[in-house]
Amino acid sequence: MITEQIRSRLSEIVGEENVITSQAGRLVYSYDATPNYQSMPDLVIAPRNTNEIAEIVNVCRDEKIPIIPRGSGTNLCAGTVPTEGGIVLLFKHMNKILEIDEENLTVTVQPGVITQDMIREVEKKGLFYPPDPSSMKISTIGGNINENSGGLRGLKYGVTADYVMALEAVLPNGDIIRTGGKLAKDVAGYNLTQLLVGSEGTLAIITEATLKLIPIPETKQTMLALYQNMDAAALSVSKIIQSKIIPATLEFLDQPTLKAVEDFAKIGLPTDVEAVLLIEQDGPHEIVARDIKKMADICTKEGAVSVKIAETEIEALALTEARRSALSALARLKPTTILEDATVPRSEIANMVKAINEIAEKHNVTICTFGHAGDGNLHPTCPTDVRDKEEMKRVDAAFADIFAKAIELGGTITGEHGVGMMKAPFLEWKLGTEGILIMRAIKQSFDPHNIMNPGKIFAKETRKRLVVSR
C-alpha cells in the first residue's frame, strides 16, 4: 500500500509531472504483450536519471514496495506485469545515445533507447549492432537486456548477451554499480554483467549499457526455398550447417503461418507449400555469392520445389519484413494470440514440428509454427479467444506438452522470450530442483526484501510434469 506520504516523497524526487496516479494512466501499464496476464500498479514513475532511480529504490526498500522496470512492454512472458502492485518504472526520459565510440567499436546508451533507432545511428558510422528482435521498431535496449532478446540474426551473430560489455545499474539497496568496460578481455571476478543480462529486472535496475559493435557487412543476399515436405526443409537446415556455412538468417514458416503472413503483407508469397525457409547471408561480396549459391544447391538437392534469390534490395527487404510481421499477421486471426518459444537442437527441428502438430491435434487447438530454424528456436503460436475458458484450458495443456517435448528432445522451455510469469511454473523442468535453489540464493543475496520485480522467474508451484523427459 502506497500512502499519500510515500507518494509525496516520490513526487519530490522525480517531479509531480512524472508520477501517474490516475486509474486510466495506471491501467495502461497493468499488462504487456503477453495475453491473459494483468495486474494494476499502485504508481507509475518516470525518473530522469540514475540518481533519481537510486532515491526511488531507497524509498521502496524502506517501505517494501515492489519495483517493476519496464521498457515498451513488448515481452511475451508477462515479465513486466506488476503482479504484486507497486511501482512501474518507465525510462521515457532516459532515452539517449550517450556515445558512439568508433575507436573501441562500442555504443553507450540509456535503457529507454529504441532498438531500431540505435541500430540506424550506428549504421550511419558504418558500424553494426546485430541483435534484431522482431519488436525492434518499438522495443527498448533496456528491455532487450532484461529479457536477453534474440532475433532473426541470432544464428550467425548471437543474442543480446553477446554484445553487452558494460552496465550501470542500481541495486535493491540503492547502491549504484558499474560492471565490465570497453575491454576485449576482462576476467576480474564474477561476470556480473552477464548475470544481470536476462535477469528480467529481478536483481537490479539497468540504467546505462555499453554495447559491442562490429563493422557493417559489405553486402547481403536473400533467398526463399519452398518445400512440400517438412522433413526436407529440416534436413536442408542441417545440411547447410554441416557444410560449414553460417547464414545471417535461416528462418522457417509453416503453411498456416505463411498464409496469414501473405494475407497481411501481400507481397506474393506462395501459400500452397508445406514449409518455407527464408535464408539471408551477409559479408564480403564473393563470400555471400558463394554461400548463397551453395545453399541454393543444398536446398534443391534436399527436395525444395523452388529456390528463388531476391533480385533487388527492395525485394529482399520485403521478404525479411514479412517474416518479422508473423506475429502481427497471426494476431488478426482470433481475438487472442499466444506466441511461445521452445528451442531444440537443430537436428530435432523436424521432430519438434511434428510433435507440435500432433499436440495441437490431441488438444483440438490451432497452432501455427514459425521461427529461427538455424538455431532451433521455434515459435508455436495459437490463435484463440481468452473468453473461451474451456478452450484456454486446452491451449494451456498443449503448451505444457510442447515445453515437455522440447526438454525431452534436449531443448529448453525458452530460447529468447524469457521466463517471467508465463514460463515460471515450467522452469524446474529444465533446471531441476538444485538449479532453482541456486538461482533463489542469488536472488536472495541481491534482493533480500524481494522488491525487484517480484513474482517473476520463480513460481509458487511447479507444474506437474506431463511428459517424462530423457
Side-chain angles (χ1 to χ4, degrees):
M1 178 70 178
I2 297 181
T3 65
E4 181 59 31
Q5 182 182 16
I6 295 171
R7 190 202 66 78
S8 179
R9 287 173 63 192
L10 294 169
S11 295
E12 288 177 6
I13 295 170
V14 300
E16 191 72 36
E17 70 279 10
N18 291 314
V19 179
I20 298 174
T21 59
S22 70
Q23 178 85 357
R26 291 183 293 122
L27 183 64
V28 173
Y29 300 100
S30 65
Y31 58 90
D32 53 30
T34 318
N36 213 24
Y37 289 87
Q38 187 172 18
S39 184
M40 286 287 280
D42 295 298
L43 288 177
V44 180
I45 298 180
R48 294 163 292 193
N49 54 59
T50 301
N51 288 332
E52 287 186 355
I53 291 176
E55 290 185 57
I56 292 167
V57 170
N58 284 332
V59 173
C60 292
R61 179 200 63 220
D62 293 342
E63 303 294 339
K64 309 297 186 293
I65 298 170
I67 310 173
I68 301 89
R70 178 188 169 104
S72 297
T74 59
N75 78 87
L76 293 162
C77 67
T80 53
V81 175
T83 181
E84 298 183 21
I87 292 172
V88 168
L89 212 61
L90 304 182
F91 297 93
K92 64 180 183 180
H93 298 306
M94 299 176 67
N95 62 350
K96 298 177 182 60
I97 298 174
L98 301 175
E99 178 192 47
I100 298 175
D101 185 341
E102 296 181 70
E103 288 187 77
N104 290 300
L105 297 183
T106 64
V107 57
T108 300
V109 300
Q110 294 179 316
V113 171
I114 300 298
T115 310
Q116 183 165 278
D117 291 348
M118 187 199 74
I119 288 173
R120 285 174 173 165
E121 288 303 310
V122 301
E123 286 184 354
K124 290 177 183 178
K125 306 283 188 180
L127 298 171
F128 188 43
Y129 179 74
D132 60 336
S134 294
S135 60
M136 66 182 185
K137 290 181 180 179
I138 53 174
S139 66
T140 65
I141 291 295
N144 292 173
I145 293 171
N146 274 349
E147 298 295 343
N148 193 11
S149 301
L152 275 65
R153 297 191 285 243
L155 169 62
K156 183 173 185 177
Y157 292 107
V159 296
T160 299
D162 298 304
Y163 295 86
V164 180
M165 300 180 70
L167 293 172
E168 177 188 80
V170 178
L171 297 176
N173 65 0
D175 289 347
I176 300 170
I177 64 166
R178 285 188 170 272
T179 71
K182 298 178 183 180
L183 304 165
K185 294 180 179 180
D186 182 4
V187 294
Y190 295 148
N191 193 334
L192 296 177
T193 304
Q194 290 299 302
L195 178 61
L196 295 182
V197 176
S199 63
E200 302 187 20
T202 63
L203 301 179
I205 300 168
I206 292 166
T207 56
E208 186 181 300
T210 298
L211 309 171
K212 178 174 69 175
L213 304 175
I214 61 176
I216 196 166
E218 290 178 23
T219 189
K220 64 182 176 182
Q221 277 192 288
T222 305
M223 75 178 188
L224 206 62
L226 315 181
Y227 296 84
Q228 292 293 2
N229 182 284
M230 189 74 65
D231 288 338
L235 188 58
S236 294
V237 173
S238 297
K239 290 292 185 182
I240 287 169
I241 304 302
Q242 285 177 17
S243 299
K244 299 180 176 58
I245 301 173
I246 305 297
T249 298
L250 182 45
E251 296 290 299
F252 162 84
L253 295 88
D254 69 0
Q255 189 180 52
T257 307
L258 197 60
K259 287 180 177 178
V261 168
E262 173 55 23
D263 185 51
F264 177 75
K266 293 184 174 20
I267 63 169
L269 290 171
T271 58
D272 57 348
V273 293
E274 186 174 329
V276 161
L277 292 182
L278 172 66
I279 306 172
E280 184 178 86
Q281 183 60 302
D282 61 12
H285 289 270
E286 61 276 11
I287 292 176
V288 170
R290 181 198 68 192
D291 286 353
I292 284 288
K293 182 181 184 307
K294 193 170 183 179
M295 288 189 287
D297 291 343
I298 289 171
C299 293
T300 301
K301 183 179 179 181
E302 298 305 328
V305 296
S306 171
V307 178
K308 183 182 179 184
I309 300 172
E311 296 179 359
T312 66
E313 186 176 338
I314 293 175
E315 184 182 353
L317 182 62
L319 290 172
T320 305
E321 287 301 308
R323 160 59 186 89
R324 293 189 191 280
S325 72
L327 174 56
S328 299
L330 291 170
R332 302 167 75 224
L333 302 181
K334 286 285 190 75
T336 306
T337 305
I338 299 178
L339 183 151
E340 274 297 352
D341 78 319
T343 302
V344 294
R346 285 186 287 258
S347 59
E348 298 289 356
I349 288 174
N351 289 331
M352 190 65 208
V353 173
K354 284 180 184 176
I356 291 170
N357 292 336
E358 290 168 0
I359 289 167
E361 185 175 350
K362 170 186 171 184
H363 294 282
N364 190 27
V365 295
T366 298
I367 298 181
C368 308
T369 304
F370 63 96
H372 317 302
D375 53 28
N377 186 199
L378 297 174
H379 294 309
T381 304
C382 182
T384 183
D385 189 339
V386 73
R387 295 168 295 185
D388 187 335
K389 303 302 181 185
E390 191 276 331
E391 182 174 82
M392 287 301 294
K393 288 181 181 178
R394 288 186 278 114
V395 171
D396 184 53
F399 278 118
D401 276 354
I402 287 170
F403 301 147
K405 186 64 179 180
I407 294 171
E408 181 184 341
L409 294 174
T412 183
I413 62 171
T414 176
E416 60 185 7
H417 287 180
V419 177
M421 293 174 65
M422 196 168 194
K423 298 285 184 67
F426 306 101
L427 187 61
E428 192 170 328
W429 292 8
K430 171 61 179 173
L431 299 181
T433 303
E434 298 79 8
I436 295 293
L437 287 174
I438 193 65
M439 284 183 60
R440 283 189 180 278
I442 293 170
K443 167 70 170 171
Q444 175 68 18
S445 68
F446 269 78
D447 183 21
H449 301 301
N450 194 30
I451 63 170
M452 296 300 300
N453 205 7
K456 311 308 189 302
I457 298 180
F458 304 105
K460 293 179 180 178
E461 293 183 7
T462 298
R463 283 288 297 266
K464 182 179 178 182
R465 194 63 172 271
L466 299 179
V467 177
V468 177
S469 70
R470 289 174 286 183

